[in-house]
Structure formats: structure tokens, C-alpha cells
Amino acid sequence: TKSHFSGICRVIIVCPEGNGTSSILHYRLLNSIPNIQVEGICSIGELNQINKEEIDLIISTVPIYTGNQLDIINVNPLLYEEDKAKIQRAIKRINLTKRNNGSLLVDDIISIVSNFASIQDYEGLYREVDRFFNQTHIQSSGIQKSLPSFLKPSLIRLNTEAATWQEAFRIAGTLLFQAGYVEEHYVECMISNAQKYGGYMVICDYVALPHAKASDGVNKTGFSFLTLKEPVVFENDQEHHLIRFVAALSADNSMMHLTAMGEFIELVCKKELLEQLLRITDTDEFICFIQTHCSKV
């Protein structure tokens, strides 16, 4: 078993296809919860290949069921406050079981400091103490590319008409196929995944992020962007979502899109910015808008 600092909770992120929404969650976790170490990202099908002895917690974007004794937490990929609270409670519970051989946890240090000093920035202090004891906690995901670097006019279609969500997904996916980012069957895989797993691809109001596994025909990492003249309805079981913005993702296993994904969600989850984006009908203006606002998020 790999050694690690006892104050760190080792997690695996799971989503149906192992990328896309899981990279959103990865970005959120690294920026919200200092005392975790993301050991990897996998699909539901790949979960049984994970070495469970090196994992403390599974964090999933969809409900999963497994016979092992690991903690499993289902969260929204945008990581709302209640999701953060669930994860922190699980980490505290896990850390209680690791208090042996005199191990000194970050929580213990913070507790001692708080007895003698006023802490103005708890999260900042926690993060710095954690870094001091555990340099391996700082994750490296290789070369990261910002969202503007993925913007190409041939991958953008604005104010488009689509009768159904399937048609909208197919138009966005076809842009990726025509540009050589994916094989043709990848487009249908995106649609079948949404039908199978439900609306987890709808990341916030009016915005969908269709995607499939890298092994479903990804040639290289990229995004296509589609805005709709009128919203289409996504319905699956009890779910009902209106969609006007489709960002189709093709992601290989490099995670180079992690930064771009973070910038994207910070942009579209702000209602006023999304409304402005949806009003744009000129491709150059669309690109300029994202370039401008990505430097502010």
C-alpha cells in the first residue's frame, strides 16, 4: 500500500463514462476541499479494477452500488454546499479510524493553533499546513489548457434549430466528428449514455455537456459549442430539463481539459453571463466574449 499523510483522504471520482462531469467534480474538489488526494477518475465499469486498499472514499456523480466496505458518496458535479458537507463528514469519520501510532493530523494542528491564536482564514491555514506535511497532495494533471485555447470557429454553431435534445446532441457531436476529434460512432455513444444514465449531463440550467468514454472513439481532446434558438426538452424517467446550450466534449485520458472545464462551469453557471452568451449570434463575438470572461473567473 502506498504511504500517505494520515490527514489526507484518498478518493476515486466515478462517473458513468469516466470523464466530462467527473472532471468538473475534480476541479471543484481541488478548489473546495483541501484535505483530499484524488487518486484517479474512472467509469462505473472500471471501478472493479481499482485497488481498494489504496482508496478511502468513492465520490460519484451518479448513484452506484457495490458490495465492498468503502464509503461511497453521491454528489452533484458542481459540488453544492450540502455535497461538501457530506464529504467533510465522511473524511472526519475516516480519519477517526486512522488515529493510531501517535499520527498527527492536520485537524489536530489546527485545533492546537486555535487555542492560542485567532484564525482569520481557516481554509487557507489548513491548506498551507497540509502542503507542508504532504507535498504529494498537490495534484499534477499534466499540461492544462484554458477554455479559449479550445475555441475554433468550425466547432461553434450559434442560434441553431433543433426539434429534440437528441438532435441537438447529434449536431454538436457531428461538429467534433467533422473536425476529426472523434469517430462517427462517438456521437451516438453520447446520446445513448444520456438515455441510459439520465440528466447528469445537464450541469446547470439550460446547459448540457454530452460526452462518452475515450475508448468510444476519441481522437483528441476538444469541445464543440451549440446554442439553440429555442430550448429543447430533456426527459428521462422523472427528470425534465430545458436545454439551450450544448457543449459536446471529447476527452482523452490526459485531463488536459481540466482547467478549461473549470472555466466553462464558472462561466455558464452565472445566470447573467449565460443569458448574454445565448443572445450572441456571431461566432467571433462568441469567442471574444469567452476570452474576455475567462480572464475574470
Side-chain angles (χ1 to χ4, degrees), residues 246-259:
V246 179
L249 168 67
S250 64
D252 59 21
N253 294 318
S254 69
M255 295 300 291
M256 71 163 58
H257 62 294
L258 185 60
T259 294

Side-chain angles (χ1 to χ4, degrees), residues 34-291:
N35 50 331
I36 66 165
Q37 182 166 307
V38 178
E39 297 289 347
I41 293 175
C42 70
S43 66
I44 293 174
E46 296 166 335
L47 187 56
N48 60 1
Q49 302 171 21
I50 299 298
N51 184 350
K52 307 302 191 299
E53 293 183 358
E54 296 183 352
I55 299 302
D56 300 310
L57 184 65
I58 295 174
I59 302 178
S60 176
T61 60
V62 292
I64 57 176
Y65 305 94
T66 176
N68 64 48
Q69 301 303 308
L70 289 173
D71 285 84
I72 302 173
I73 296 181
N74 178 216
V75 300
N76 186 289
L78 295 181
L79 207 63
Y80 296 133
E81 290 304 317
E82 59 266 32
D83 297 319
K84 296 176 189 177
K86 283 195 293 185
I87 294 170
Q88 291 287 23
R89 284 196 298 270
I91 291 173
K92 286 185 178 181
R93 185 171 65 251
I94 290 166
N95 279 340
L96 284 174
T97 69
K98 295 180 180 177
R99 290 175 181 265
N100 50 37
N101 300 323
S103 295
L104 184 62
L105 304 176
V106 172
D107 287 330
D108 297 328
I109 297 174
I110 301 301
S111 177
I112 293 169
V113 171
S114 65
N115 287 332
F116 297 93
S118 174
I119 301 175
Q120 295 182 335
D121 181 3
Y122 180 91
E123 289 189 2
L125 178 60
Y126 197 116
R127 193 158 42 242
E128 288 305 310
V129 173
D130 170 53
R131 285 198 183 108
F132 178 80
F133 282 102
N134 185 52
Q135 292 300 316
T136 60
H137 170 54
I138 302 173
Q139 300 292 310
S140 174
S141 299
I143 298 173
Q144 296 288 307
K145 296 178 66 175
S146 66
L147 185 60
S149 68
F150 286 103
L151 297 174
K152 301 183 185 303
S154 63
L155 293 171
I156 299 170
R157 185 80 62 83
L158 305 177
N159 204 33
T160 303
E161 293 184 353
T164 64
W165 68 265
Q166 292 95 329
E167 183 181 358
F169 282 23
R170 192 169 286 114
I171 293 171
T174 299
L175 293 176
L176 289 172
F177 166 64
Q178 291 174 340
Y181 283 73
V182 299
E183 301 299 324
E184 189 169 12
H185 64 274
Y186 182 86
V187 180
E188 296 308 316
C189 287
M190 294 194 315
I191 295 171
S192 63
N193 287 340
Q195 291 170 328
K196 181 177 180 180
Y197 295 112
Y200 81 101
M201 292 186 182
V202 181
I203 59 174
C204 58
D205 290 344
Y206 297 109
V207 181
L209 182 80
H211 57 281
K213 297 193 298 288
S215 59
D216 285 330
V218 172
N219 295 325
K220 57 181 177 178
T221 296
F223 293 85
S224 66
F225 301 94
L226 175 76
T227 63
L228 300 173
K229 187 174 295 185
E230 298 293 336
V232 294
V233 178
F234 180 94
E235 289 184 299
N236 185 287
D237 293 332
Q238 303 301 315
E239 294 178 295
H240 181 98
H241 304 281
L242 293 178
I243 298 172
R244 282 200 62 197
F245 192 150
V246 179
L249 168 67
S250 64
D252 59 21
N253 294 318
S254 69
M255 295 300 291
M256 71 163 58
H257 62 294
L258 185 60
T259 294
M261 187 69 74
E263 293 172 337
F264 177 70
I265 60 175
E266 294 290 349
L267 187 65
V268 299
C269 290
K270 293 177 180 175
K271 184 178 179 181
E272 66 279 7
L273 294 182
L274 177 61
E275 290 176 349
Q276 293 177 56
L277 267 175
L278 292 173
R279 287 197 293 267
I280 296 174
T281 57
D282 178 78
T283 300
D284 290 337
E285 184 182 347
F286 180 90
I287 292 174
C288 183
F289 184 91
I290 291 180
Q291 288 174 332

